[in-house]
Amino acid sequence: MPATPNNVPEPSRTDPALIRNFCIIAHIDHGKSTLADRMLQLTGVVEQRQMRAQYLDRMDIERERGITIKSQAVRLPWAPTDEPGKTHILNMIDTPGHVDFTYEVSRSLAACEGTVLLVDAAQGIEAQTLANLYLAMENDLTIIPVLNKIDLPAAQPEKFAEELANLVGCDPDDVLRVSAKTGVGVDALLDRAVRDIPPPVGVADAPARAMIFDSVYDSYRGVVTYVRVIDGQLNKRERIRMMSTGATHELLEIGTNSPEMLAADGLGVGEVGYLITGVKDVRQSKVGDTVTSQNKGATEALGGYKDPKPMVFSGLYPLDGSDYPELREALDKLQLNDAALVYEPETSAALGFGFRVGFLGLLHLDVIRERLEREFGLDLIATAPNVVYRVLMEDGSEHTVTNPSEFPEGKINDVYEPVVRATILAPSEFIGSIMELCQTRRGTLLGMDYLSEDRVEIRYTLPLAEIVFDFFDQLKSKTRGYASLDYEPTGEQTSSLVKVDILLHGDKVDAFSAITHKDQAYAYGVRLVAKLRELIPRQAFEVPIQAAIGSRVIARETIRAIRKDVLAKCYGGDISRKRKLLEKQKEGKKRMKMVGSVEVPQEAFIAVLSSDDSGGSGKGKK
Ligand SMILES: Nc1nc2c(ncn2[C@@H]2O[C@H](COP(=O)(O)OP(=O)(O)OP(=O)(O)O)[C@@H](O)[C@H]2O)c(=O)[nH]1
């Protein structure tokens, strides 16, 4: 019998023996949000008529794109089927599934004792299933293997139960089978969570220590911080201290989510809930930090706290220069809710005033750009994303390069670039094409394992710069969509990297500068110069386009001159027709940027993004 809100125990200081903290980990689209929805319904915390799809994904973009960006926690009362009178509290912590947000995933995992490992019964294990499973194992979590979507005609539960059982080391019969869509098997899953996941252990009378696993900005309430109490207790109205910064705040409100906020007097050992202190900026309440009481607080923080590090940078410029103040304001607002977003003003000779913005990865970049355009109505030019390089000069100085045009001139000793460990899962028939792709992207094979007869896991070390553009698209097209990819940063390596500049009519265009491997520089220069010749219209004078490394020109094309006389075709005196043509010409000009003396269309800046010859890539077009 599912519990109802009426027999929920008091929200604060629940007996830890009755608490189970868990999260759901899954590859994108394997049904995590749908399963969470079913759990909300089955435990009675959301009434049928209020139910809407993906209840927990609150951000519009999350719902539209069907992805989870920020994690959320929700408290579910559940009396197991064999103990109907004993209501337990299941705290479900939703985790983002995408590789860009791995740090948030690992913080959420650290707040749990168990995890539901959810796998699509028609797809099987994918790269992010593995990546998240390894994180869960590192955190010593109890793993409940579950196959989802068993209602699908294409489901192969027997085959994938075997695969999953091999992976987690259990019997195939112990793999649960559910349909998050129809609800079949979800009650058995909740029973299993109560039975298998250990209750939290903590010292009730020790100084309070709570781990922050998420914090979100709410325009009415300020920052809402999600915590899991490990030791002691936090009480309403007390002063709390953030251990990484030492900042203290008054605890204005404390409570739990069911799934709406429900205020309480405090939170005790093992409990999961929210705190409100009135701060306005999530950077004051950072994921991974430890909260303690100001008075007789703890001296040792929990686990390691790590600042999220931007991995990919891109220049964002308003198409209309007068929108610059709005862009700054919009970035300020987004940063209130996104501690990982960093930016600083930047000026480009070609694009004017803008910002160099650091992101966790490409999805993060896409989401931010889309929000800037959609929520703030800005038209933006985004320069090609690049990674961060470290350059050591012969004179011993060191430069961190986040913008290719700032790559130092002069005598360079070494250039370091970030590398990742990539895991690719695919049917074994594609091994050849995957290896070929990784090889051309300067990859080093680390190893390969068969998960089952026809599915293989391939591990590579790859430069991050080689995968930030279109690696995933290429991988998908070479494997007919069957491959999945996950990667994690593993440090840096020295490489022979050079800066390729593009000169238009003799002037260097900073927005087109790129850093590439020495062996690829020539091909890159030739390709870009050819593409720009196609995209830049003829001007009143001849325009040479050159690619150069330092002062050495490696490729050249020329745009021939024309006199663009739109009136040439209008004989006679039809003045209104003439005016129309002139107006049309003026409008056409608005979409151009003057770069030195040359008019460059917006598409040209996007063209740098794509590595094929078909014009701009999908990513740059939005
Ligand atoms: N047939 C069927 N479809 C399902 C089931 N569970 C989920 N789906 C569908 O699978 C798709 C992905 O489900 P989501 O719940 O959004 O997946 P997710 O894992 O939360 O995705 P992210 O939030 O991006 O990580 C949606 O179209 C769901 O309707 C199921 O049990 N059966």
Side-chain angles (χ1 to χ4, degrees), residues 389-582:
Y389 299 95
R390 204 158 59 85
V391 185
L392 292 183
M393 309 296 287
E394 248 181 38
D395 65 8
S397 62
E398 184 180 320
H399 299 261
T400 303
V401 178
T402 57
N403 181 344
S405 70
E406 285 164 6
F407 199 76
E409 318 254 319
K411 294 217 166 10
I412 290 171
N413 256 358
D414 276 313
V415 184
Y416 291 87
E417 62 173 342
V419 288
V420 300
R421 180 193 149 99
T423 306
I424 298 166
L425 258 70
S428 45
E429 65 190 278
F430 298 114
I431 293 177
S433 20
I434 292 171
M435 290 178 73
E436 197 186 316
L437 173 67
C438 292
Q439 231 65 49
T440 60
R441 300 300 179 102
R442 301 191 280 132
T444 312
L445 182 65
L446 292 174
M448 188 155 70
D449 286 309
Y450 279 83
L451 289 174
S452 57
E453 257 170 37
D454 53 354
R455 280 168 63 77
V456 62
E457 176 194 346
I458 308 174
R459 293 178 301 277
Y460 262 94
T461 298
L462 283 156
L464 178 62
E466 295 286 343
I467 58 175
V468 292
F469 283 144
D470 58 347
F471 182 81
F472 190 52
D473 295 343
Q474 292 280 331
L475 182 67
K476 282 275 176 197
S477 77
K478 284 187 193 307
T479 58
R480 295 205 306 274
Y482 282 116
S484 60
L485 165 77
D486 196 89
Y487 58 86
E488 52 172 357
T490 49
E492 52 180 16
Q493 68 181 23
T494 56
S495 304
S496 306
L497 299 167
V498 292
K499 179 176 66 151
V500 180
D501 289 315
I502 300 292
L503 290 84
L504 272 187
H505 206 232
D507 296 328
K508 210 183 273 180
V509 184
D510 52 5
F512 287 147
S513 294
I515 294 167
T516 70
H517 191 264
K518 189 165 71 34
D519 297 344
Q520 294 165 357
Y522 177 73
Y524 174 81
V526 169
R527 184 171 52 75
L528 198 61
V529 162
K531 201 182 284 176
L532 289 177
R533 194 186 69 126
E534 268 171 42
L535 291 171
I536 298 175
R538 288 182 178 188
Q539 321 265 323
F541 45 88
E542 192 176 277
V543 180
I545 312 174
Q546 295 161 306
I549 300 175
S551 54
R552 187 162 56 92
V553 172
I554 55 171
R556 181 193 161 116
E557 295 267 357
T558 307
I559 304 173
R560 278 187 294 126
I562 58 155
R563 265 211 75 78
K564 200 171 181 184
D565 186 355
V566 288
L567 302 183
K569 281 182 263 168
C570 298
Y571 305 106
D574 182 355
I575 186 71
S576 70
R577 183 163 149 69
K578 270 187 195 164
R579 196 175 298 131
K580 239 190 205 155
L581 277 168
L582 284 169

Side-chain angles (χ1 to χ4, degrees), residues 29 31-34 54 66-68 148-149 151-152 179-181:
D29 280 347
K32 184 159 52 82
S33 308
T34 312
Q54 311 209 332
I67 51 167
T68 307
N148 185 28
K149 309 198 189 182
D151 59 293
L152 285 178
S179 165
K181 188 173 169 188

Side-chain angles (χ1 to χ4, degrees), residues 23 25 27 70 91 177 217 243 419 493 539 561 566 590:
C23 54
I25 55 181
H27 189 76
K70 299 298 286 186
N91 289 308
R177 288 140 205 235
Y217 175 74
M243 294 191 72
V419 288
Q493 68 181 23
Q539 321 265 323
V566 288
K590 266 201 247 158

Side-chain angles (χ1 to χ4, degrees), residues 221-233:
R221 322 200 63 177
V223 172
V224 180
T225 303
Y226 292 90
V227 295
R228 143 91 196 251
V229 179
I230 304 289
D231 293 322
Q233 48 182 284

